[in-house]
Amino acid sequence: MNSAGSEVPWSQTWDQIDDDFDEHLEEVRNFLRCPTVSASDDDMLAGAEYVAGLIEGAGGTADIIPTSGHPAVLGRIEGDGPRLLRYGMYDVQPADEPGWSSPPFAAVTADVPGAGPSIVARGAANSKGSLASFLLALASARRVSDLPAEILFLVDGEEELGSPNLPRVMHDRRADLAAEAAFDMDLTADRRSVAEVYLGCKGIVSFVLSCSGGEWGGPIERALHSSEGVVISSPAWSLVRALSALKDAAGRNAIDGLGPASVPQEDERLLDALVRDFDPAAHLEEVGALAYLGPNDAHSVLKDLMYEPALNLNGFSAGSVTGKTIVPHEARAALDLRIPYGTDVESVVAGIERIVAEAAPEVLVEGVQLCPPSRTTANSPVAHAMVESQRDVGPPPQVWPSAPWWAPFYLFEQVLRLPFASGGAGHAGRAHAADEYATIAGLRTHMRQSIAFLHHYARAARAES
Amino acid sequence: MNSAGSEVPWSQTWDQIDDDFDEHLEEVRNFLRCPTVSASDDDMLAGAEYVAGLIEGAGGTADIIPTSGHPAVLGRIEGDGPRLLRYGMYDVQPADEPGWSSPPFAAVTADVPGAGPSIVARGAANSKGSLASFLLALASARRVSDLPAEILFLVDGEEELGSPNLPRVMHDRRADLAAEAAFDMDLTADRRSVAEVYLGCKGIVSFVLSCSGGEWGGPIERALHSSEGVVISSPAWSLVRALSALKDAAGRNAIDGLGPASVPQEDERLLDALVRDFDPAAHLEEVGALAYLGPNDAHSVLKDLMYEPALNLNGFSAGSVTGKTIVPHEARAALDLRIPYGTDVESVVAGIERIVAEAAPEVLVEGVQLCPPSRTTANSPVAHAMVESQRDVGPPPQVWPSAPWWAPFYLFEQVLRLPFASGGAGHAGRAHAADEYATIAGLRTHMRQSIAFLHHYARAARAES
């Protein structure tokens, strides 16, 4: 925590957060104990109700919005100042991977080596920990005084599915979402407490390739003894052919609408600043790898993370890998293509379908989901407030023109046409992996920053008017 | 059953088989109730002991031969005539596939549609049903008179694993295996009672391709969020690259030592005879497919089944196919390459390793098993006796120069240098699949044929000497 500590106008609020912190921590843990895996049949309504309860606990009001999938939550907390829209999510990734040292929904506190005392749970890092922290900080703040801004909430229960129903919710409730700016928050700080601010994010085209025996050939209904594989086609080989053709095209940026990485002129200064502070060796260690795929200088790595499209094979499955000599009757692969801002998403999808149809017409392209990229300007008050509030609680943050990951920021930027920024102090780790965690110190820092952010925004807005 | 019925010199033995049949059937069922899955940790010694007991029950002697894997059984039953070596197996495939209408080791009797009253069990068709039937037939025969031949037995407990320890057993006990000829028997008849005789079999090179993150790149220890996939290599894509290169080379017969199908001149007449009786539509229905991979005329299909090499992808596995946007840290595929007689197996293995090393050096070729092909001449007395004995109990059999599948026949043909034939009357089905069965009528026919086979061989040997 830097010198801003006791001087700031909201130091009384910070003291209140400290007073309430033990209680807040239990509340965060309870929220993490709701299994809200959107890809499963968990009780997502209970998760939505928990979010609504947290909003109401901070003195606000909340509606649970049914969708054709999992419900969203729309809320409002009064304040004396500009109106801001906070996006959030209450769903989490599946937690069925091996390697958890405690049950993923037990939310135990444990010492994470190198990070310190933490809550270990699916969703601790991504993103229930920060959502609860933000709301609990507002609850503390309101015990001391009015909030310096009015906060609207739009909380999705399907972000890990690509937010398929959020556009509809936004369309239907557009009038309730009128605001000056929008933002999202996460526990983005690394182990040095250096946090990040994002001005946008990459997009994703996700899809499944599948192939089963049928009129075209291959065994139908059941696997075949592989002695017959010389005369009967193999759905698994068809899938390999389609995958190989797609990878080849993606590697050459030869999928329609895909181009090689290019850095917009306005981003060059931001990229240079990031490069100065980026340690490729530390990044490799953090992601759990020993070598980069391409050049290992900071500039190349960051440029690729933000601007280079990439086709990822999330997994594949067919038959048996433990010694059954069979020709499987079905095969399946899941992929995602990460795309930079400016990509023509529809062309990319058409390009994928064409390549697969040419390489292996018996392979189906299914479950295509479009998650468009997003981008807002570095000069907006909301980005400024995010940077300043992070400075209040730690070292100066890094400003990323684009996050390498996806979130439904485009809906705020392109549909609601609001300036948008994302960021957040506090350290967490292992999102989407076993032993996902948020440090306890990080949660407290995040609560403090949440309040500072509102004050910085309100001050900037007042100065402008 | 044809006219040979009551006229043959061994008709008294056949009557004895009929008298003993109900008892024999219970014995077959009991043998099938021993779970002898060589790929699991079943009690394989109990299976070996059961085989030894069946040999002793026919008045013979048996040794259980320990190996570094599962034991083999070596046995001997006296007879007044030439000495023959019967190969057999007591291990079976795993029975963990779905679709069993009764437990796979319950060995219930049930009416199989289109086949009639049958024993349903893993191993009923492949190959415990025929092994037990042969031994029980000998027991009946010895109640009536001496056997017309002395029979040695070498029974493997690891055929479904590629018989890795059988060469050692054969080497160590070579003196005990001296014989004029060797043979194997199965319930090979189709639903028309047309049985098959095999003069050899294709070989297999089986192996696993695996790739994990390491010094070369890729995530180590755990999967990575796929937003990092643009800068971190993917073991799953490496595996696809290796698979694609191998498939391409195999398709062009460009793996060292692989050539396109060619029919030896001596086989042309046999192939023509098979073609006349082969119904591609019925074959497709039997294997459970709607179309062939290549030409669908009987000649092409049979030529490919017997002489064309083929690379089969038994299965692959990596990451998640249900919506986790990750880069998996490991990927695995199992393959088998079916090779015709005359293939240089060592060259093929070296070729596979070279192609993988060139396409994706980070992919390992592991668990390579060589299962050499085998071939003996159609003019041998043992093949002749197999054909004649099958004629005695049903329509003329089909003589296949090579089986499309593998069995360790090469050990008899190339190590012991014995003429070898394989065949057998009686209908069974669904080997390696759910609801594997042997018809009860087929088991009785198989017992009758077993005795006839010995007499035919002994008569031919006497005529020659």
Side-chain angles (χ1 to χ4, degrees), chain B residues 90-105:
Chain B
Y90 70 88
D91 69 321
V92 297
Q93 284 271 314
D96 52 359
E97 62 277 290
W100 284 88
S101 53
S102 56
F105 296 105

Side-chain angles (χ1 to χ4, degrees), chain B residues 41-364:
Chain B
D41 55 359
D42 285 343
D43 184 357
M44 297 297 286
L45 181 59
E49 282 168 350
Y50 208 109
V51 173
L54 285 169
I55 294 171
E56 286 155 7
T61 56
D63 285 350
I64 291 176
I65 318 285
T67 75
S68 64
H70 304 307
V73 182
L74 205 148
R76 180 172 161 271
I77 300 178
E78 288 192 358
D80 181 22
R83 190 191 280 165
L84 293 171
L85 170 55
R86 189 195 191 288
Y87 169 69
M89 60 193 275
Y90 70 88
D91 69 321
V92 297
Q93 284 271 314
D96 52 359
E97 62 277 290
W100 284 88
S101 53
S102 56
F105 296 105
V108 304
T109 53
D111 196 75
V112 172
S118 300
I119 300 179
V120 175
R122 172 58 79 236
N126 181 15
S127 300
K128 286 158 79 178
S130 58
L131 178 62
S133 295
F134 184 83
L135 283 160
L136 293 163
L138 298 199
S140 288
R142 293 199 70 186
R143 286 177 200 164
V144 175
S145 65
D146 279 353
L147 297 182
E150 178 183 344
I151 320 291
L152 305 179
F153 292 87
L154 180 59
V155 182
D156 193 15
E158 301 186 310
E159 189 184 297
E160 296 294 0
L161 306 178
S163 299
N165 290 297
L166 202 60
R168 179 88 227 170
V169 172
M170 194 171 267
H171 178 269
D172 291 349
R173 302 298 292 262
R174 190 160 180 157
D176 299 315
L177 297 169
E180 281 188 17
F183 66 104
D184 188 19
M185 291 181 75
D186 269 309
L187 298 149
T188 72
D190 64 18
R191 291 181 177 193
R192 304 168 302 170
S193 297
V194 177
E196 295 171 348
V197 172
Y198 300 103
L199 305 177
C201 62
K202 267 184 167 173
I204 313 177
V205 177
S206 64
F207 56 102
V208 167
L209 297 184
S210 75
C211 187
S212 300
E215 294 290 342
W216 68 276
I220 52 172
E221 290 178 17
R222 60 177 186 270
L224 182 65
H225 192 289
S226 70
S227 61
E228 302 278 353
V230 65
V231 293
I232 304 295
S233 299
S234 162
W237 276 130
S238 293
L239 191 71
V240 168
R241 198 158 60 245
L243 286 170
S244 187
L246 272 182
K247 178 62 180 170
D248 184 47
R252 292 182 289 106
N253 289 300
I255 296 176
D256 299 343
L258 270 200
S262 70
V263 184
Q265 207 180 340
E266 53 172 335
D267 290 1
E268 278 175 2
R269 197 185 47 80
L270 290 169
L271 177 56
D272 287 345
L274 285 174
V275 166
R276 280 193 294 277
D277 197 40
F278 185 81
D279 178 355
H283 175 245
L284 272 184
E285 195 180 334
E286 188 193 329
V287 300
L290 301 175
Y292 281 110
L293 169 56
N296 61 6
D297 62 287
H299 189 276
S300 299
V301 172
L302 286 167
K303 191 179 83 166
D304 288 351
L305 282 170
M306 291 191 284
Y307 307 103
E308 183 75 31
L311 183 66
N312 297 297
L313 182 45
N314 306 144
F316 47 58
S317 174
S320 163
V321 295
T322 56
K324 282 197 178 180
T325 50
I326 54 171
V327 175
H329 68 298
E330 54 191 7
R332 187 178 168 87
L335 299 97
D336 71 57
L337 176 66
R338 303 267 172 177
I339 50 174
Y341 190 69
T343 305
D344 176 351
V345 181
E346 270 79 16
S347 294
V348 165
V349 173
I352 288 168
E353 287 171 343
R354 183 181 52 75
I355 290 162
V356 172
E358 279 170 13
E362 63 275 19
V363 172
L364 304 180

Side-chain angles (χ1 to χ4, degrees), chain A residues 39 93-97 122 126 160 202 204 206 208 214-237 239-241 243-244 246-247 283-294 300-302 304-306 308-328 331-336 338 404-406 430-434, chain B residues 39 93-97 122 126 160 202 204 206 208 213-237 239-241 243-244 246-247 283-294 300-302 304-306 308-328 331-336 338 404-406 430-433:
Chain A
Q93 284 271 316
D96 52 359
E97 62 276 293
R122 171 59 78 236
N126 179 14
E160 296 294 1
K202 268 184 169 174
I204 314 177
S206 63
V208 166
E215 294 289 343
W216 67 277
I220 54 172
E221 290 177 19
R222 61 177 187 270
L224 182 64
H225 192 289
S226 71
S227 61
E228 302 279 351
V230 66
V231 294
I232 304 296
S233 299
S234 162
W237 278 130
L239 191 72
V240 168
R241 198 158 61 243
L243 287 170
S244 186
L246 272 182
K247 177 61 180 170
H283 175 246
L284 273 183
E285 193 180 336
E286 188 193 329
V287 300
L290 302 174
Y292 281 110
L293 167 58
S300 298
V301 172
L302 286 168
D304 288 351
L305 282 170
M306 292 190 284
E308 183 75 32
L311 183 66
N312 296 298
L313 181 45
N314 307 144
F316 46 59
S317 175
S320 163
V321 294
T322 56
K324 281 196 180 181
T325 50
I326 54 172
V327 175
R332 186 179 169 87
L335 299 96
D336 70 58
R338 304 266 171 176
W405 37 259
W406 181 84
R430 299 197 195 123
H432 294 211
Chain B
Q93 284 271 314
D96 52 359
E97 62 277 290
R122 172 58 79 236
N126 181 15
E160 296 294 0
K202 267 184 167 173
I204 313 177
S206 64
V208 167
E215 294 290 342
W216 68 276
I220 52 172
E221 290 178 17
R222 60 177 186 270
L224 182 65
H225 192 289
S226 70
S227 61
E228 302 278 353
V230 65
V231 293
I232 304 295
S233 299
S234 162
W237 276 130
L239 191 71
V240 168
R241 198 158 60 245
L243 286 170
S244 187
L246 272 182
K247 178 62 180 170
H283 175 245
L284 272 184
E285 195 180 334
E286 188 193 329
V287 300
L290 301 175
Y292 281 110
L293 169 56
S300 299
V301 172
L302 286 167
D304 288 351
L305 282 170
M306 291 191 284
E308 183 75 31
L311 183 66
N312 297 297
L313 182 45
N314 306 144
F316 47 58
S317 174
S320 163
V321 295
T322 56
K324 282 197 178 180
T325 50
I326 54 171
V327 175
R332 187 178 168 87
L335 299 97
D336 71 57
R338 303 267 172 177
W405 37 258
W406 181 84
R430 299 198 194 120
H432 294 210

Side-chain angles (χ1 to χ4, degrees), chain A residues 109-135:
Chain A
T109 54
D111 196 76
V112 172
S118 301
I119 300 179
V120 176
R122 171 59 78 236
N126 179 14
S127 301
K128 287 158 80 180
S130 59
L131 178 62
S133 295
F134 184 83
L135 283 160

Side-chain angles (χ1 to χ4, degrees), chain A residues 59-247:
Chain A
T61 56
D63 285 350
I64 291 176
I65 318 286
T67 74
S68 65
H70 305 306
V73 182
L74 204 148
R76 179 172 162 271
I77 301 177
E78 288 192 356
D80 180 21
R83 190 191 280 163
L84 293 171
L85 171 55
R86 190 196 191 286
Y87 169 70
M89 60 191 276
Y90 70 87
D91 68 321
V92 297
Q93 284 271 316
D96 52 359
E97 62 276 293
W100 284 88
S101 52
S102 56
F105 297 105
V108 304
T109 54
D111 196 76
V112 172
S118 301
I119 300 179
V120 176
R122 171 59 78 236
N126 179 14
S127 301
K128 287 158 80 180
S130 59
L131 178 62
S133 295
F134 184 83
L135 283 160
L136 293 163
L138 298 198
S140 288
R142 293 198 71 187
R143 286 177 200 164
V144 175
S145 65
D146 279 354
L147 296 181
E150 178 182 343
I151 320 291
L152 304 179
F153 292 87
L154 180 60
V155 182
D156 192 15
E158 301 186 310
E159 188 184 298
E160 296 294 1
L161 306 177
S163 299
N165 291 295
L166 202 61
R168 179 88 227 170
V169 173
M170 194 170 266
H171 179 267
D172 291 349
R173 303 296 292 263
R174 189 158 181 160
D176 299 315
L177 296 168
E180 282 188 16
F183 65 104
D184 187 18
M185 291 182 74
D186 269 309
L187 298 149
T188 72
D190 62 19
R191 292 183 177 192
R192 304 167 303 170
S193 298
V194 177
E196 295 171 346
V197 172
Y198 300 102
L199 304 176
C201 62
K202 268 184 169 174
I204 314 177
V205 176
S206 63
F207 56 102
V208 166
L209 298 183
S210 74
C211 188
S212 301
E215 294 289 343
W216 67 277
I220 54 172
E221 290 177 19
R222 61 177 187 270
L224 182 64
H225 192 289
S226 71
S227 61
E228 302 279 351
V230 66
V231 294
I232 304 296
S233 299
S234 162
W237 278 130
S238 293
L239 191 72
V240 168
R241 198 158 61 243
L243 287 170
S244 186
L246 272 182
K247 177 61 180 170

